[in-house]
Each structure stands twice: as C-alpha cells, then as structure tokens.
Amino acid sequence: MKALVYTGPRALEFRDAPPPLPESEEGEDEIVVDVEACGICGSDMHAYFGHDARRPAPLILGHEVCGIARGGAYDGARVAVNPLVTCMSCPACLAGRTNLCPKRQIISMPPREGGFAEQVRLPERNLLSVPDGVTCEIAALTEPVAVAWHGCNLAERTLLRPLAACDVLVIGGGAIGVAASDILTARSVATLKIAETNEGRRHAVAGHGRRDTFDPVANPGDENTADLVIDDVGIASTRSYACHAARPGGVIVHLGLGSAEGGIDVRKLTLQEITFLGAYTYTMTDFAETLEALANDRLGPIDWTEQRALADGAAAFAALADVSVATPKVILRP
C-alpha cells in the first residue's frame, strides 16, 4: 500500500509500505480499514518537528480516520475510527474511563502504525458506523471534536453555575478550539470569545461566523473575566493567560499538549479557588456522542476544513509548519 511515512524531523516520504494484517501483535483478530480521510493533528506536527519521543521515525502518523471496514460486522460499511485502543479489563476501562487505561495504545504510536496510509488496522470495538448523509471528511473529525467534547463535559460537571450563565474564553483557534467553541455555543453559554495570535487563522475563524475572535497579545483584556477557560494550545504563555483570565471560583480546562512546563499561577489558583483540569482524549461514550452530534448537525456548520491528497501530504505539513495555512484542519485523502 501507499503511505506517508515520517522519516525524521521535517521529513515525510510518500512511498510503499507493508499493508496491515488482520491479526495484531497479540494474536487478536482485528479489522483492516481502507482509509478515506485522515486529519492532520497538532500531535502529528509535534512529531514532524522531532519533538515527540513517543513517535520515533520511521512511522506512519495520523489518527483522525474515517474509512471502509474490510471484515467483521461492519464489512463494507463506512466507519469512524476511535484510535485509542485499550485493554477493556482494567479498573479504568471497567469504570468507563477508557482514556485512562494504563495499557492504552493509539494508532500513530508504536506498535501501531497510523492512518496516513491506504489502510490501518484496529479492534472491531474501535469502529462506529457512519450514518448516511455524513461525509467521510466530517466523520474523520469525530476524533478531534471528541477531545473538545470530553473537555467540555468535564468543565460542565465542575462549574458552580450553569453554562447559560458563564462567560467563556477559548485559547487557540485550531480544530479543537473551534470545536470547543461550537460545542459550548450549542450548549448556550452566555458569552464566548476565542483568543488566537495567528492573524490568518484569526481572520479565517472569525470569517466563519465566530465573530468574537481577538489577538490576546495586542489586546489581553482585563483579569478575572472568564468563568471557564479552555486552553487548546497548552504552552507556558497560554497557561499564564488562562490564569490571568479566570475568575475566582472559575475553571480552566487544559486540552493542549504544546509544552510540559511553566505558566501556571499556583498562588492565584489557590487564593481564588480556581479549578485546573487536565483533559485527555475521550471515553468511548464521548466518541459515540460526538459522532451522533456531528451526524445531527448539532454543532453548526463544519466549515473549517480543507482537503489535500495524501500524496501531497509532505507539502501540507510544510505549509502548516511555516504557518501559511489558515484553515484550522487539513484533511488528507489517499
């Protein structure tokens, strides 16, 4: 099969690769999926820059997948792929918190190759049928939107007031930030603003009807203005800005994995009883709920993607790296 293979920092090759076999390394029968669409995630970009030791070269990246199942109960059907493979027997899995499974694997990390290829392999339990009328490009967004869905669920359970009474700040106009803003808007938050430093992306996001988009460097705004802050970036400066913006008794949900250290104002969090929540991926329930929400147009128009051929994937990565792409999500098509 053809695949886009990460071969080293800022290096990708579109070349032949061994096709996946239906049997996993553990001997479990799995399902091969013909990939129809796979989105480029921020974690793919981290690997591309050589900043992710969990994704060593050579490796097929990509985990935001929709395709056609070849075998099993879904044979011949379009499926959305939950890329998080868990044991289903540990205390976390049995409690429904599959994202916290200590044995979890994800496609695009060894030992599992990713979805920037003509085929990928997973357990059948990781597949969901895509409803009629939902394109593969939209279904491939189930994964990043589910990350935002899970974070918004955690926030809603933690906030001391209903979302309808909350002022919300989303930091980052990437796919997960835009998805979080759409989810929270659908849940009727009082006000919502998106902070985005990249001018091109800021204009692109605002141009799709998300009007309260601003540059936090040029206009940081007043302190203590948000009941809920969603940090979709996760670097020292965005964590610092989240602490600046959060009101006493507010909630910060940290979704981004940009860097590991710096930016948290522990004194403010303590003195003002601000809850800082880490949110990692999603549960199986989150994933299914997200696909249902996308299928039923509950999140508004999904007009923030662009498509490119998998064969042109190296150029797409390079364009994202030099910030010449304003669209929040680029989807590669084999």
Side-chain angles (χ1 to χ4, degrees):
M1 69 173 183
K2 291 293 186 181
L4 185 68
V5 182
Y6 166 63
T7 57
R10 293 181 179 262
L12 294 161
E13 293 181 11
F14 185 66
R15 69 189 194 194
D16 290 325
L21 300 175
E23 185 175 283
S24 72
E25 289 82 355
E26 294 77 23
E28 177 185 3
D29 286 340
E30 298 191 344
I31 303 298
V32 172
V33 174
D34 290 343
V35 177
E36 293 286 301
C38 185
I40 300 177
C41 177
S43 61
D44 296 316
M45 294 304 300
H46 295 159
Y48 175 72
F49 289 128
H51 295 164
D52 190 347
R54 303 173 302 168
R55 291 179 165 93
L59 183 67
I60 302 172
L61 301 172
H63 57 271
E64 303 174 357
V65 178
C66 176
I68 298 173
R70 298 303 179 196
Y74 296 105
D75 187 36
R78 295 183 310 137
V79 291
V81 168
N82 179 343
L84 200 64
V85 181
T86 62
C87 73
M88 302 306 295
S89 60
C90 69
C93 286
L94 294 175
R97 304 184 74 182
T98 46
N99 58 321
L100 302 182
C101 174
K103 297 180 180 179
R104 65 181 181 257
Q105 299 176 347
I106 189 168
I107 62 172
S108 79
M109 281 189 200
R112 293 185 176 273
E113 299 282 6
F116 292 140
E118 292 180 325
Q119 292 185 318
V120 69
R121 185 199 69 217
L122 298 102
E124 187 171 294
R125 64 178 178 270
N126 284 66
L127 309 181
L128 288 177
S129 180
V130 176
D132 292 340
V134 179
T135 66
C136 267
E137 297 78 34
I138 296 298
L141 297 176
T142 306
E143 198 281 336
V145 177
V147 173
W149 187 274
H150 178 67
C152 291
N153 286 349
L154 289 179
E156 194 165 8
R157 291 198 295 266
T158 307
L159 285 161
L160 299 178
R161 63 179 69 189
L163 284 175
C166 287
D167 297 315
V168 178
L169 170 66
V170 174
I171 303 175
I176 294 174
V178 171
S181 72
D182 289 350
I183 292 165
L184 292 167
T185 298
R187 296 183 187 183
S188 302
V189 295
T191 67
L192 189 144
K193 296 182 179 180
I194 302 175
E196 172 57 59
T197 57
N198 180 277
E199 182 179 7
R201 178 164 288 178
R202 188 167 62 250
H203 290 315
V205 171
H208 288 301
R210 299 165 185 89
R211 300 299 178 189
D212 290 327
T213 306
F214 68 100
D215 181 356
V217 175
N219 180 27
D222 295 331
E223 190 177 9
N224 303 335
T225 55
D227 301 292
L228 170 62
V229 183
I230 305 283
D231 184 355
D232 170 44
V233 182
I235 60 177
S237 60
T238 59
R239 285 188 287 270
S240 177
Y241 187 57
C243 292
H244 164 85
R247 280 180 179 144
V251 174
I252 298 170
V253 177
H254 193 266
L255 291 174
L257 290 170
S259 67
E261 298 178 353
I264 299 177
D265 186 344
V266 175
R267 185 173 179 83
K268 179 176 180 178
L269 297 185
T270 302
L271 293 175
Q272 299 187 8
E273 291 193 356
I274 295 167
T275 303
F276 188 96
L277 289 172
Y280 178 68
T281 62
Y282 35 75
T283 67
M284 285 183 159
T285 299
D286 294 323
F287 198 87
E289 289 177 350
T290 300
L291 180 58
E292 189 274 333
L294 288 169
N296 289 284
D297 296 323
R298 288 166 49 199
L299 306 182
I302 307 299
D303 51 8
W304 36 270
T305 70
E306 69 174 75
Q307 300 178 45
R308 301 195 183 192
L310 182 63
D312 299 326
F317 270 79
L320 287 166
D322 66 20
V323 202
S324 62
V325 177
T327 309
K329 177 61 65 180
V330 174
I331 294 174
L332 300 183
R333 298 291 305 267

